[in-house]
Amino acid sequence: MTGAAPAAGAPGHLTEIADGVFAFVQPDGGWCLNNAGLITDGTEAVLVDTAATRARALRLRQEALRITPTPPRLLVNTHFHGDHTFGNCVFPEATVVGHERARDDIVMAGLHLTGLWPDVCWGELDVVPPHLTYRDRMTVYAGSVRAELLHFGPAHTTGDTVVWLPEQRVLFTGDLVMSGVTPFCPMGSVSGSLETLRELRSLGARIVVPGHGPVGGPELFDADEGYLRRLQRLAAQGLAAGSSPLQTAREAGPGPYAGLLDAERLVPNLHRAYAEALGGRPGDPLDIPALFTEMTHYHGRLPTCHA
């Protein structure tokens, strides 16, 4: 008999998904409950992302040291959001690596995320941006295991990184891909997300570790692509009708994607789709605090964060 699903906010743990490749999955995958990963040849290790709170990051460190003899020497951040980067500070031995735009955004954002959910026990955190940055691609090694860091342009944010293990055919996508969770692209691009999904498909991954939600395979690309294409259709319809993104969201609702967590993201996502439909460039800045406020009004309350 199958056991009950882990409760939202349950502690994450590292599970081996391929030889020497581990996923750190934090249920249920909603706001600030991200995934991370560990890559090791048994002697050296590379960490992919951390966690939002000090307690969760320390849990990840404990899990990593259960598997590797020494702490990870490299830590790759897939993008700048605090749920993936705040825990950098509990891995002082690691050189942090990220896209050049991710570094800029980490420095600019600071600990702003903690102010959105003041009731979360964030713990003592220090902002640690990447020490080493790249522009298009970079190769790193966990001992003998090769990992490719790839950037495809604005998508979830303007500084996304995926970690591709060609020999194991494992792909860590960061928040470019979600699993059972609503995509989120107001800081990046709808069209860029679709283009990036095409690039990710071409890699031929067997196992996909999304930024949030359960590990899966390339079928995870399908749901995200369908959601993003619906955003584009709704934006075109809303503009033709003279409706605002908020009005369009209220009229259309989540539709076939009502089962995804955090459906309220429809509002800020539509703002990005509208901006692009009106000729805006992928990644052009939007007023994110204003969009978060509008999303809260649409949702009827502050979105739930179990971190």
Side-chain angles (χ1 to χ4, degrees):
M1 183 173 65
T2 303
H13 63 277
L14 284 167
T15 301
E16 191 164 24
I17 55 175
D19 188 21
V21 184
F22 298 79
F24 183 78
V25 176
Q26 299 190 100
D28 58 359
W31 290 102
C32 296
L33 290 172
N34 66 296
N35 298 334
L38 184 75
I39 305 161
T40 181
D41 69 345
T43 60
E44 296 183 3
V46 172
L47 191 66
V48 181
D49 282 333
T50 56
T53 68
R54 186 173 184 88
R56 288 183 175 276
L58 288 171
R59 165 77 176 192
L60 175 57
R61 182 181 176 91
Q62 178 186 44
E63 285 282 288
L65 290 175
R66 177 175 61 83
I67 292 165
T68 63
T70 57
R73 295 176 58 192
L74 285 177
L75 194 174
V76 179
N77 285 150
T78 60
H79 61 290
F80 81 91
H81 290 158
D83 50 341
H84 296 257
T85 63
F86 281 172
N88 290 1
C89 62
V90 309
F91 293 92
E93 309 88 350
T95 297
V96 182
V97 183
H99 190 266
E100 58 187 14
R101 291 195 191 99
R103 176 185 164 83
D104 292 342
D105 287 339
I106 288 171
V107 171
M108 183 179 300
L111 296 173
H112 173 75
L113 180 65
T114 63
L116 298 179
W117 287 282
D119 293 336
V120 168
C121 183
W122 298 97
E124 185 177 347
L125 298 170
D126 294 312
V127 175
V128 180
H131 308 102
L132 180 64
T133 65
Y134 76 101
R135 181 165 297 172
D136 298 313
R137 63 188 304 146
M138 174 186 284
T139 302
V140 299
Y141 288 86
S144 59
V145 181
R146 177 167 60 101
E148 302 291 339
L149 312 187
L150 307 172
H151 170 73
F152 297 110
H156 174 61
T157 69
T158 60
D160 301 307
T161 292
V162 301
V163 181
W164 167 233
L165 308 179
E167 295 174 8
Q168 294 81 6
R169 293 176 60 199
V170 175
L171 179 66
F172 290 89
T173 67
D175 288 359
L176 291 168
V177 177
M178 303 288 200
S179 176
V181 181
T182 304
F184 191 62
C185 56
M187 301 177 196
S189 170
V190 179
S191 60
S193 293
L194 286 165
E195 178 58 34
T196 294
L197 285 173
R198 284 190 286 271
E199 296 282 0
L200 297 184
R201 286 184 192 277
S202 71
L203 295 174
R206 180 175 60 89
I207 299 172
V208 177
V209 183
H212 294 251
V215 173
E219 75 281 352
L220 297 183
F221 304 147
D222 299 337
D224 282 11
E225 181 178 353
Y227 178 91
L228 293 164
R229 293 201 181 283
R230 180 175 187 259
L231 282 180
Q232 291 180 324
R233 292 194 301 270
L234 290 178
Q237 294 165 8
L239 285 167
S243 300
S244 70
L246 179 58
Q247 289 171 324
T248 298
R250 284 175 169 159
E251 291 169 4
Y257 301 97
L260 299 181
L261 291 177
D262 306 327
E264 64 273 9
R265 293 174 180 172
L266 176 62
V267 173
N269 285 338
L270 276 173
H271 273 275
R272 175 57 66 185
Y274 268 62
E276 292 184 2
L278 291 170
R281 296 176 301 174
D284 278 352
L286 299 180
D287 187 343
I288 298 302
L291 298 192
F292 195 90
T293 298
E294 191 172 288
M295 176 178 66
T296 299
H297 289 320
Y298 169 81
H299 190 49
R301 63 184 187 278
L302 186 70
T304 302
C305 175
H306 293 292

